[in-house]
Amino acid sequence: MSCTPEDLNKRCQELAAKWQACTQQGGLDSFVEFAVSVSSLTEFLESHGLSGLHQSAHSLEQKVLSLMDQLMDPSAGGALPANASQLLDAQVQEFGTRVLAFIRGHSSHLAERRHVHDPTHDATPVATLVPPKKIVFVTDTPAAWKDLVAQVGFFHVQVELVGTAQVLPAVPEPAMVLVDAANRPLAAFVAQVQTLRGQFSASHIVGLNVGIDFESQQRALGAGCDACFATGAQHAAIMARIVKLCSNEDEAPYKVLVVEDSKTAGALIRRTLSEAGMESLAITRPQDVLTALASFQPDLVLMDMYMPGCTGVEVTRVIRQHAEFLSTPVVYLSGDSNVALQVDALRLGGDHFLTKPFQPGDPQCRGQKQD
């Protein structure tokens, strides 16, 4: 999946604005808003395959969550210790610097390609920050990977074999860098992975022939590997990973049908879903639900609990009379927090219950399974 430099830059600026507001206003509320922004950006980077930036954002997210626990302690008085705030500020600034460097580097490379291939720029599509379908094997034993390299070529993926002592160009970034740990000291392998992770913000880095012991796996992943294949791993498993990552087909967006009699509420819900990369359709008349289900084929239905002349439960019971829609999840939306009512509604065909008003950053609104 790809994203534009403008979209990535906008997300980064939003994060910086939230952090600035947090440092100026202080208090738990502003810190929670900042934490939600960090979490949202982390998910965004992961969904767009920007592996290195995602790892950096994830590290920032973990730090923010640990500090939130401290803030919620009554003895903290709703304020961060000065040293913790300074360290977090440094981490935020470092992350922002890395994002900007990545955008500039890739934008420059894209501009060079435009100049070479299309001097007029007339037919140039919008630039996207997506790694090319190229993978690099970093190994001193290329013969050991000869058969696998040949198989990868059948999928129209460019493959480059380089030695462990060679330096890779920063751009364009390959989709995947496979680093062979065979016959190498663990420290040398880990050091090279760290270097590659610092160099590549989008590439997936995969360790090959990593020891099966805990320490080897832990250090490889901690250095920046997205995945590790232990010594003796079948080439078929490695091949499956490569094919999955380099597939030319983007995953279809998640589709949500919104049944909400209020046009304003429906529009707000659709905007939130769109920001999360989901496709949606809103209908205001529950009588149109069967037609919408058949034509839109949603993965989920967000159902307003109370509508003029009809309740969400009644609509869901009608939906469940049709075998083709039995497995379509239905999530109720209601301002009523009555637990007994919620249980009864779920018993009559629903799958989950969200209490309005809800916040987009709430874990229950991110599609996470709740116990």
Side-chain angles (χ1 to χ4, degrees), residues 124-363:
T124 305
V126 175
T128 55
L129 297 173
V130 58
K133 301 308 178 185
K134 170 187 174 181
I135 63 174
V136 175
F137 275 83
V138 180
T139 178
D140 290 327
T141 56
W145 303 103
K146 181 179 178 181
D147 291 342
L148 183 58
V149 169
Q151 293 177 38
V152 172
F154 296 146
F155 291 87
H156 306 290
V157 177
Q158 181 183 352
V159 183
E160 182 179 357
L161 288 162
V162 302
T164 58
Q166 291 181 250
V167 178
L168 298 177
V171 291
E173 289 198 28
M176 178 185 284
V177 181
L178 300 107
V179 188
D180 193 356
N183 304 317
R184 301 178 64 189
L186 178 60
F189 167 74
V190 168
Q192 183 165 42
V193 170
Q194 289 176 328
T195 299
L196 290 169
R197 177 46 70 209
Q199 180 180 3
F200 298 131
S201 294
S203 303
H204 283 250
I205 298 178
V206 177
L208 303 174
N209 287 316
V210 179
I212 61 174
D213 59 289
F214 180 86
E215 181 185 0
S216 296
Q217 299 277 323
Q218 180 191 33
R219 291 184 62 183
L221 294 171
C225 280
D226 295 287
C228 292
F229 287 93
T231 303
Q234 296 294 318
H235 281 198
I238 301 173
M239 185 68 190
R241 182 89 181 197
I242 294 172
V243 171
K244 180 180 180 180
L245 179 65
C246 296
S247 171
N248 290 322
E249 296 182 5
D250 284 344
E251 184 178 351
Y254 202 79
K255 299 171 69 174
V256 180
L257 174 63
V258 181
V259 184
E260 168 65 71
D261 63 292
S262 168
K263 291 184 178 181
T264 301
L268 289 173
I269 294 171
R270 291 196 67 197
R271 185 177 68 180
T272 299
L273 294 172
S274 177
E275 290 174 352
M278 301 183 194
E279 183 180 343
S280 63
L281 171 68
I283 59 174
T284 57
R285 285 169 29 91
Q287 294 84 355
D288 297 331
V289 70
L290 294 178
T291 301
L293 282 167
S295 59
F296 188 56
Q297 294 291 311
D299 300 295
L300 176 80
V301 178
L302 283 178
M303 180 76 67
D304 188 13
M305 193 62 180
Y306 299 107
M307 293 171 283
C310 192
T311 68
V313 172
E314 290 174 318
V315 179
T316 301
R317 293 186 69 186
V318 172
I319 292 175
R320 297 307 189 213
Q321 303 309 304
H322 299 260
E324 64 270 34
F325 304 135
L326 281 175
S327 61
T328 303
V330 175
V331 175
Y332 294 120
L333 299 174
S334 173
D336 195 329
S337 59
N338 186 302
V339 175
L341 174 68
Q342 295 181 13
V343 171
D344 194 45
L346 297 177
R347 181 178 62 83
L348 293 173
D351 296 279
H352 197 48
F353 211 108
L354 295 180
T355 302
K356 296 189 292 185
F358 61 88
Q359 296 297 324
D362 193 320

